[in-house]
Amino acid sequence: MAANSSYSIVEYFGGDDGYRCGYCKNEKGNFSHGMWSHAMTVQDYQDLIDRGWRRSGKYVYKPILNKTCCPQYTIRCDPVKFQPSKSHKKILKKMNKFLSKGELPKGPGEPGEPMDSVCEESGAREPSIKMPKSAITDIPKEALECPAITVVKRNEADTTPTGSELSRGDPGSVSDRKTTPAPKPGKGSDPNRPPCRKAKDLRKERRHQKEQLKHSIVGVSATLTTSYPPSTLTNQPKALEDFLTETLADSSSHCLEFRRFLCDSPLEATYSADGPEMGYGSFHQQYWLDGQIVAVGVIDILPTCVSSVYLYYHPDFASLSLGSYSALREIAFTRKLHKQSPKLSHYYLGFYIHSCPKMRYKGQYRPSDLLCPESYVWVPIEQCLPHLESSRYARFNPNLDEGDAQVLKDVGRILVLHRRTVMPYKVYSRKRKGSSDETEVREFASLVGQNCAERILLYRA
């Protein structure tokens, strides 16, 4: 990656107090360590999520897995080797049928498909985060500009129907397998029934549809831009932001939370000669239909992965299973970026929560790995599930002698930011007045690892 002289700057808050769990609704059962990130390099955040951290806006948190009510394990998928399941193919067929015929499916989405719209409780994908706003200190630093926005528009390739248009119980296919009884005397053939089709033509059509489905998974057609098109937002029949503002009473406070949660990001946009053409950072992937935004996926493009942050969509389209559909599109997008930058080789789906049945759907994107909470190595999910069936918290790495490779070794080398000056902790501790804060600093460094502790600036008042 290109050299970058900027620092990550964080304030650490600890994790002693429990708060409400967005999954099991336990009022005080959710525990996590948290820090407010004033700025974050993409490499530092990559290393943090590989240690179980995750961001919500600028708040970065790490669940305390052996203490929290619903342990949340970091999960990633290999997009190059990804094979869609039957339910994934069904979702793609349903979407293509809607794009070709304009008919919305009746009823809700797929079983287990969570509602990712922000109209629901924010804990639909991630737990509600308690942010200690009073503890946040303004640090004199150049404001981060809003990163480039990736726009995904429907094109001609998306309008091609797939195999869902001919179900297995299609009358035409049945008529070729069974002998049609002769019409009763005095009556001709039923004019309401479709004309009979040759079995050879049906087989040819099915092969063609399977080929179309294969291409729709491997290479999703999309138009990518690196700038936010202002005209497209001002001329929407009903943009998502307008819809959200209309449906909530206190629109001013909602807009503030909307920006904090879905728009603000600590990641600094970075470009590299051997990286993706749009660079690294936080992006909004917009899904458009007939000139209207129907869904927006928030993603982070990092040195070795695409990390899915959140998806929100118009509830009128909930029956299209947009949560799972967007994950399939993001997997295809990651596969495309992998061709541009081979080291960008994984798609992170956030957290896998085995104790919450509606969140187990993330384990269906195979092959996938879970992060061991003790050694921080990746283990295939097939090896992890037996452990989670017997215990909510589990160590996945079978090698009991293998520990944390980034375990804290030297607290004095931790970098701190004090009075606008960067210094090692051993220098700061000699200048500090009052009681020692070494216990808190050690806890922070042990959670982020020795390497990150020597790069990330820990703010000290």
Side-chain angles (χ1 to χ4, degrees):
M1 183 178 297
N4 194 341
S5 60
S6 61
Y7 284 106
S8 299
I9 305 174
V10 301
E11 288 184 74
Y12 179 64
F13 296 134
D16 297 329
D17 299 329
Y19 54 92
R20 187 175 187 273
C21 176
Y23 303 104
C24 69
K25 313 306 179 185
N26 188 322
E27 291 297 330
K28 294 291 184 179
N30 203 342
F31 291 87
S32 67
H33 299 284
M35 56 188 179
W36 186 264
S37 178
H38 296 270
M40 181 75 67
T41 67
V42 291
Q43 184 59 60
D44 285 341
Y45 186 58
Q46 175 72 70
D47 292 343
L48 287 177
I49 64 174
D50 283 335
R51 292 183 63 85
W53 292 83
R54 182 164 170 81
R55 77 174 184 89
S56 174
K58 291 187 175 182
Y59 187 78
V60 187
Y61 62 100
K62 174 180 168 64
I64 307 175
L65 299 187
N66 59 358
K67 187 178 180 180
T68 191
C69 54
C70 297
Q72 304 154 54
Y73 299 92
T74 303
I75 182 172
R76 72 179 187 181
C77 170
D78 186 339
V80 178
K81 298 179 181 178
F82 171 71
Q83 294 294 329
S85 64
K86 289 184 178 180
S87 62
H88 295 152
K89 294 177 182 179
K90 183 179 178 181
I91 290 169
L92 290 172
K93 288 181 179 180
K94 179 167 60 175
M95 174 61 73
N96 283 325
K97 183 176 181 179
F98 166 68
L99 292 176
S100 62
K101 292 188 174 182
E103 298 176 2
L104 278 171
K106 296 181 180 179
E110 292 294 302
E113 168 81 5
M115 174 60 178
D116 296 324
S117 168
V118 293
C119 297
E120 286 286 305
E121 182 180 350
S122 62
R125 265 197 178 179
E126 305 304 335
S128 54
I129 303 299
K130 182 180 180 182
M131 299 186 185
K133 299 176 185 175
S134 59
I136 298 171
T137 306
D138 290 331
I139 296 177
K141 184 173 173 65
E142 207 167 312
L144 298 177
E145 295 185 0
C146 184
I149 305 300
T150 301
V151 181
V152 179
K153 296 184 179 180
R154 177 179 129 192
N155 62 12
E156 292 301 321
D158 285 327
T159 61
T160 305
T162 61
S164 65
E165 298 200 38
L166 274 181
S167 63
R168 294 185 179 181
D170 180 66
S173 60
V174 174
S175 64
D176 282 308
R177 299 192 196 105
K178 297 180 180 180
T179 304
T180 305
K184 295 181 180 181
K187 295 182 180 180
S189 59
D190 189 350
N192 296 322
R193 295 188 62 181
C196 295
R197 302 171 65 187
K198 293 183 178 179
K200 180 180 178 181
D201 294 337
L202 288 173
R203 288 194 297 269
K204 186 182 297 183
E205 186 172 359
R206 290 193 194 100
R207 282 196 301 269
H208 179 61
Q209 289 166 352
K210 287 181 180 179
E211 195 66 25
Q212 288 177 338
L213 178 60
K214 179 180 177 181
H215 288 303
S216 68
I217 298 168
V218 174
V220 178
S221 300
T223 303
L224 301 175
T225 65
T226 56
S227 61
Y228 209 102
S231 60
T232 55
L233 283 182
T234 56
N235 296 326
Q236 292 307 304
K238 181 180 282 189
L240 265 181
E241 288 80 356
D242 297 334
F243 171 79
L244 293 168
T245 302
E246 292 172 7
T247 54
L248 294 175
D250 190 355
S251 59
S252 58
S253 63
H254 162 69
C255 288
L256 179 62
E257 291 303 318
F258 175 84
R259 178 168 291 278
R260 281 178 176 173
F261 179 47
L262 296 170
C263 299
D264 291 349
S265 170
L267 302 185
E268 296 185 331
T270 307
Y271 296 89
S272 174
D274 60 348
E277 58 184 2
M278 73 287 298
Y280 302 102
S282 298
F283 296 81
H284 285 167
Q285 197 167 39
Q286 302 175 351
Y287 295 84
W288 293 73
L289 178 66
D290 298 331
Q292 179 184 7
I293 301 176
V294 297
V296 178
V298 184
I299 60 174
D300 294 330
I301 300 179
L302 304 175
T304 64
C305 75
V306 170
S307 175
S308 177
V309 179
Y310 202 78
L311 175 86
Y312 59 101
Y313 56 80
H314 199 300
D316 287 353
F317 299 93
S319 59
L320 291 173
S321 305
L322 290 177
S324 296
Y325 175 74
S326 66
L328 295 171
R329 293 292 296 260
E330 289 168 3
I331 288 173
F333 179 61
T334 307
R335 187 179 291 185
K336 177 181 178 182
L337 296 185
H338 174 69
K339 294 180 180 179
Q340 301 176 14
S341 178
K343 62 182 179 180
L344 203 160
S345 57
H346 285 93
Y347 171 65
Y348 285 46
L349 294 91
F351 288 135
Y352 173 79
I353 308 171
H354 193 77
S355 59
C356 181
K358 74 175 182 178
M359 297 303 292
R360 293 184 183 181
Y361 79 98
K362 293 186 179 183
Q364 298 173 3
Y365 298 87
R366 304 289 180 92
S368 58
D369 307 309
L370 295 184
L371 185 67
C372 177
E374 297 179 7
S375 62
Y376 301 110
V377 299
W378 295 98
V379 180
I381 193 171
E382 293 85 357
Q383 300 178 23
C384 304
L385 293 180
H387 297 288
L388 295 177
E389 286 293 337
S390 58
S391 174
R392 291 194 174 196
Y393 173 78
R395 172 192 171 96
F396 302 138
N397 188 351
N399 185 358
L400 299 179
D401 296 329
E402 186 174 3
D404 180 7
Q406 292 297 321
V407 66
L408 178 63
K409 298 176 182 177
D410 187 354
V411 67
R413 295 173 61 87
I414 299 171
L415 285 186
V416 301
L417 178 65
H418 178 59
R419 294 183 178 178
R420 302 187 183 185
T421 304
V422 178
M423 63 187 75
Y425 180 73
K426 61 182 178 181
V427 175
Y428 161 77
S429 61
R430 291 197 295 265
K431 295 183 177 182
R432 178 181 171 84
K433 297 178 181 180
S435 59
S436 173
D437 62 350
E438 184 174 337
T439 301
E440 180 182 298
V441 174
R442 278 185 174 275
E443 181 181 67
F444 160 78
S446 65
L447 293 169
V448 302
Q450 183 72 44
N451 285 353
C452 280
E454 295 180 18
R455 296 196 310 258
I456 298 176
L457 301 185
L458 177 62
Y459 180 72
R460 301 279 89 185

